mmCIF file of all heavy atoms in Angstrom:
data_model
loop_
_atom_site.group_PDB
_atom_site.id
_atom_site.type_symbol
_atom_site.label_atom_id
_atom_site.label_comp_id
_atom_site.label_asym_id
_atom_site.label_seq_id
_atom_site.Cartn_x
_atom_site.Cartn_y
_atom_site.Cartn_z
ATOM 1 N N ALA A 299 -2.841 -47.153 -54.339
ATOM 2 C CA ALA A 299 -3.307 -46.011 -55.083
ATOM 3 C C ALA A 299 -3.826 -44.885 -54.094
ATOM 4 O O ALA A 299 -3.417 -43.685 -54.283
ATOM 5 C CB ALA A 299 -4.495 -46.376 -55.975
ATOM 6 N N HIS A 300 -4.455 -45.220 -53.015
ATOM 7 C CA HIS A 300 -4.849 -44.225 -52.080
ATOM 8 C C HIS A 300 -3.685 -43.641 -51.266
ATOM 9 O O HIS A 300 -3.673 -42.498 -50.910
ATOM 10 C CB HIS A 300 -5.875 -44.784 -51.086
ATOM 11 C CG HIS A 300 -7.237 -44.970 -51.737
ATOM 12 N ND1 HIS A 300 -8.008 -43.859 -52.170
ATOM 13 C CD2 HIS A 300 -7.951 -46.074 -52.031
ATOM 14 C CE1 HIS A 300 -9.120 -44.244 -52.718
ATOM 15 N NE2 HIS A 300 -9.192 -45.579 -52.665
ATOM 16 N N LEU A 301 -2.688 -44.506 -50.943
ATOM 17 C CA LEU A 301 -1.465 -44.045 -50.298
ATOM 18 C C LEU A 301 -0.781 -43.012 -51.160
ATOM 19 O O LEU A 301 -0.320 -41.897 -50.642
ATOM 20 C CB LEU A 301 -0.463 -45.169 -49.976
ATOM 21 C CG LEU A 301 -0.865 -46.083 -48.795
ATOM 22 C CD1 LEU A 301 -0.002 -47.335 -48.765
ATOM 23 C CD2 LEU A 301 -0.780 -45.323 -47.463
ATOM 24 N N MET A 302 -0.664 -43.244 -52.464
ATOM 25 C CA MET A 302 -0.054 -42.311 -53.360
ATOM 26 C C MET A 302 -0.830 -41.022 -53.434
ATOM 27 O O MET A 302 -0.287 -39.932 -53.780
ATOM 28 C CB MET A 302 0.176 -42.945 -54.693
ATOM 29 C CG MET A 302 1.240 -43.962 -54.704
ATOM 30 S SD MET A 302 1.656 -44.658 -56.278
ATOM 31 C CE MET A 302 0.147 -45.369 -56.779
ATOM 32 N N GLY A 303 -2.147 -41.092 -53.142
ATOM 33 C CA GLY A 303 -2.983 -39.871 -53.122
ATOM 34 C C GLY A 303 -2.857 -39.115 -51.840
ATOM 35 O O GLY A 303 -3.531 -38.054 -51.628
ATOM 36 N N GLY A 304 -2.016 -39.654 -50.908
ATOM 37 C CA GLY A 304 -1.852 -38.946 -49.604
ATOM 38 C C GLY A 304 -2.844 -39.169 -48.547
ATOM 39 O O GLY A 304 -2.861 -38.474 -47.480
ATOM 40 N N LEU A 305 -3.667 -40.225 -48.622
ATOM 41 C CA LEU A 305 -4.656 -40.528 -47.677
ATOM 42 C C LEU A 305 -4.027 -41.277 -46.483
ATOM 43 O O LEU A 305 -3.119 -42.050 -46.639
ATOM 44 C CB LEU A 305 -5.826 -41.382 -48.242
ATOM 45 C CG LEU A 305 -6.957 -40.574 -48.903
ATOM 46 C CD1 LEU A 305 -6.488 -39.801 -50.102
ATOM 47 C CD2 LEU A 305 -8.088 -41.519 -49.293
ATOM 48 N N THR A 306 -4.651 -41.071 -45.343
ATOM 49 C CA THR A 306 -4.274 -41.832 -44.081
ATOM 50 C C THR A 306 -4.956 -43.152 -44.151
ATOM 51 O O THR A 306 -5.899 -43.425 -44.914
ATOM 52 C CB THR A 306 -4.599 -41.005 -42.835
ATOM 53 O OG1 THR A 306 -6.118 -40.985 -42.807
ATOM 54 C CG2 THR A 306 -4.055 -39.600 -42.837
ATOM 55 N N SER A 307 -4.514 -43.986 -43.206
ATOM 56 C CA SER A 307 -5.243 -45.316 -43.030
ATOM 57 C C SER A 307 -6.715 -45.147 -42.794
ATOM 58 O O SER A 307 -7.522 -45.947 -43.343
ATOM 59 C CB SER A 307 -4.594 -46.147 -42.018
ATOM 60 O OG SER A 307 -3.281 -46.526 -42.385
ATOM 61 N N LYS A 308 -7.104 -44.263 -41.957
ATOM 62 C CA LYS A 308 -8.482 -44.039 -41.666
ATOM 63 C C LYS A 308 -9.229 -43.520 -42.863
ATOM 64 O O LYS A 308 -10.340 -44.035 -43.150
ATOM 65 C CB LYS A 308 -8.673 -43.075 -40.467
ATOM 66 C CG LYS A 308 -8.271 -43.679 -39.130
ATOM 67 C CD LYS A 308 -8.585 -42.777 -37.986
ATOM 68 C CE LYS A 308 -8.172 -43.393 -36.661
ATOM 69 N NZ LYS A 308 -8.416 -42.643 -35.537
ATOM 70 N N GLU A 309 -8.647 -42.627 -43.603
ATOM 71 C CA GLU A 309 -9.312 -42.108 -44.811
ATOM 72 C C GLU A 309 -9.445 -43.252 -45.909
ATOM 73 O O GLU A 309 -10.467 -43.352 -46.570
ATOM 74 C CB GLU A 309 -8.540 -40.871 -45.403
ATOM 75 C CG GLU A 309 -8.617 -39.722 -44.530
ATOM 76 C CD GLU A 309 -7.639 -38.632 -44.908
ATOM 77 O OE1 GLU A 309 -6.446 -38.989 -45.382
ATOM 78 O OE2 GLU A 309 -7.903 -37.460 -44.716
ATOM 79 N N ILE A 310 -8.431 -44.055 -45.987
ATOM 80 C CA ILE A 310 -8.436 -45.155 -46.979
ATOM 81 C C ILE A 310 -9.520 -46.156 -46.580
ATOM 82 O O ILE A 310 -10.342 -46.575 -47.402
ATOM 83 C CB ILE A 310 -7.086 -45.836 -47.113
ATOM 84 C CG1 ILE A 310 -6.010 -44.840 -47.666
ATOM 85 C CG2 ILE A 310 -7.216 -47.136 -47.940
ATOM 86 C CD1 ILE A 310 -4.606 -45.410 -47.579
ATOM 87 N N GLY A 311 -9.617 -46.421 -45.202
ATOM 88 C CA GLY A 311 -10.641 -47.324 -44.752
ATOM 89 C C GLY A 311 -11.961 -46.854 -45.098
ATOM 90 O O GLY A 311 -12.854 -47.608 -45.562
ATOM 91 N N ARG A 312 -12.254 -45.533 -44.871
ATOM 92 C CA ARG A 312 -13.543 -44.963 -45.220
ATOM 93 C C ARG A 312 -13.869 -45.083 -46.744
ATOM 94 O O ARG A 312 -14.923 -45.494 -47.157
ATOM 95 C CB ARG A 312 -13.663 -43.570 -44.774
ATOM 96 C CG ARG A 312 -13.971 -43.386 -43.309
ATOM 97 C CD ARG A 312 -14.420 -41.973 -42.951
ATOM 98 N NE ARG A 312 -13.336 -40.971 -43.140
ATOM 99 C CZ ARG A 312 -12.393 -40.698 -42.257
ATOM 100 N NH1 ARG A 312 -12.317 -41.299 -41.122
ATOM 101 N NH2 ARG A 312 -11.504 -39.755 -42.579
ATOM 102 N N ALA A 313 -12.834 -44.809 -47.506
ATOM 103 C CA ALA A 313 -12.965 -44.776 -48.984
ATOM 104 C C ALA A 313 -13.281 -46.217 -49.478
ATOM 105 O O ALA A 313 -14.033 -46.396 -50.424
ATOM 106 C CB ALA A 313 -11.723 -44.279 -49.674
ATOM 107 N N LEU A 314 -12.661 -47.277 -48.893
ATOM 108 C CA LEU A 314 -12.847 -48.612 -49.354
ATOM 109 C C LEU A 314 -13.849 -49.446 -48.511
ATOM 110 O O LEU A 314 -14.092 -50.593 -48.748
ATOM 111 C CB LEU A 314 -11.480 -49.347 -49.247
ATOM 112 C CG LEU A 314 -10.303 -48.745 -50.143
ATOM 113 C CD1 LEU A 314 -8.996 -49.582 -49.982
ATOM 114 C CD2 LEU A 314 -10.743 -48.759 -51.600
ATOM 115 N N ALA A 315 -14.377 -48.713 -47.483
ATOM 116 C CA ALA A 315 -15.434 -49.409 -46.625
ATOM 117 C C ALA A 315 -14.804 -50.596 -45.932
ATOM 118 O O ALA A 315 -15.427 -51.634 -45.839
ATOM 119 C CB ALA A 315 -16.692 -49.724 -47.392
ATOM 120 N N ILE A 316 -13.572 -50.368 -45.377
ATOM 121 C CA ILE A 316 -12.929 -51.434 -44.594
ATOM 122 C C ILE A 316 -12.378 -50.759 -43.339
ATOM 123 O O ILE A 316 -12.280 -49.494 -43.310
ATOM 124 C CB ILE A 316 -11.843 -52.188 -45.333
ATOM 125 C CG1 ILE A 316 -10.770 -51.244 -45.859
ATOM 126 C CG2 ILE A 316 -12.403 -52.999 -46.467
ATOM 127 C CD1 ILE A 316 -9.585 -51.976 -46.599
ATOM 128 N N SER A 317 -11.952 -51.556 -42.311
ATOM 129 C CA SER A 317 -11.402 -50.876 -41.126
ATOM 130 C C SER A 317 -10.020 -50.373 -41.374
ATOM 131 O O SER A 317 -9.344 -50.819 -42.266
ATOM 132 C CB SER A 317 -11.448 -51.843 -39.946
ATOM 133 O OG SER A 317 -10.306 -52.723 -40.110
ATOM 134 N N HIS A 318 -9.658 -49.253 -40.619
ATOM 135 C CA HIS A 318 -8.301 -48.810 -40.767
ATOM 136 C C HIS A 318 -7.229 -49.783 -40.393
ATOM 137 O O HIS A 318 -6.167 -49.789 -40.901
ATOM 138 C CB HIS A 318 -8.146 -47.431 -40.023
ATOM 139 C CG HIS A 318 -7.990 -47.586 -38.531
ATOM 140 N ND1 HIS A 318 -9.114 -47.777 -37.647
ATOM 141 C CD2 HIS A 318 -6.925 -47.579 -37.773
ATOM 142 C CE1 HIS A 318 -8.647 -47.904 -36.487
ATOM 143 N NE2 HIS A 318 -7.359 -47.806 -36.397
ATOM 144 N N ARG A 319 -7.609 -50.739 -39.518
ATOM 145 C CA ARG A 319 -6.651 -51.746 -39.092
ATOM 146 C C ARG A 319 -6.414 -52.661 -40.298
ATOM 147 O O ARG A 319 -5.268 -53.155 -40.534
ATOM 148 C CB ARG A 319 -7.150 -52.498 -37.890
ATOM 149 C CG ARG A 319 -7.245 -51.725 -36.651
ATOM 150 C CD ARG A 319 -7.304 -52.546 -35.430
ATOM 151 N NE ARG A 319 -7.603 -51.761 -34.244
ATOM 152 C CZ ARG A 319 -6.797 -50.985 -33.580
ATOM 153 N NH1 ARG A 319 -5.563 -50.817 -34.045
ATOM 154 N NH2 ARG A 319 -7.192 -50.333 -32.511
ATOM 155 N N THR A 320 -7.441 -52.969 -41.087
ATOM 156 C CA THR A 320 -7.299 -53.804 -42.257
ATOM 157 C C THR A 320 -6.394 -53.051 -43.301
ATOM 158 O O THR A 320 -5.515 -53.687 -43.914
ATOM 159 C CB THR A 320 -8.611 -54.136 -42.933
ATOM 160 O OG1 THR A 320 -9.444 -54.881 -41.913
ATOM 161 C CG2 THR A 320 -8.505 -54.990 -44.194
ATOM 162 N N VAL A 321 -6.542 -51.755 -43.428
ATOM 163 C CA VAL A 321 -5.708 -51.004 -44.266
ATOM 164 C C VAL A 321 -4.245 -51.046 -43.802
ATOM 165 O O VAL A 321 -3.362 -51.248 -44.591
ATOM 166 C CB VAL A 321 -6.178 -49.461 -44.292
ATOM 167 C CG1 VAL A 321 -5.144 -48.624 -45.057
ATOM 168 C CG2 VAL A 321 -7.528 -49.323 -44.918
#
Side-chain angles (χ1 to χ4, degrees):
H300 286 297
L301 284 170
M302 289 185 299
L305 273 63
T306 65
S307 291
K308 286 184 180 182
E309 291 168 328
I310 295 169
R312 280 193 296 275
L314 299 178
I316 59 177
S317 77
H318 75 279
R319 294 197 191 285
T320 302
V321 172

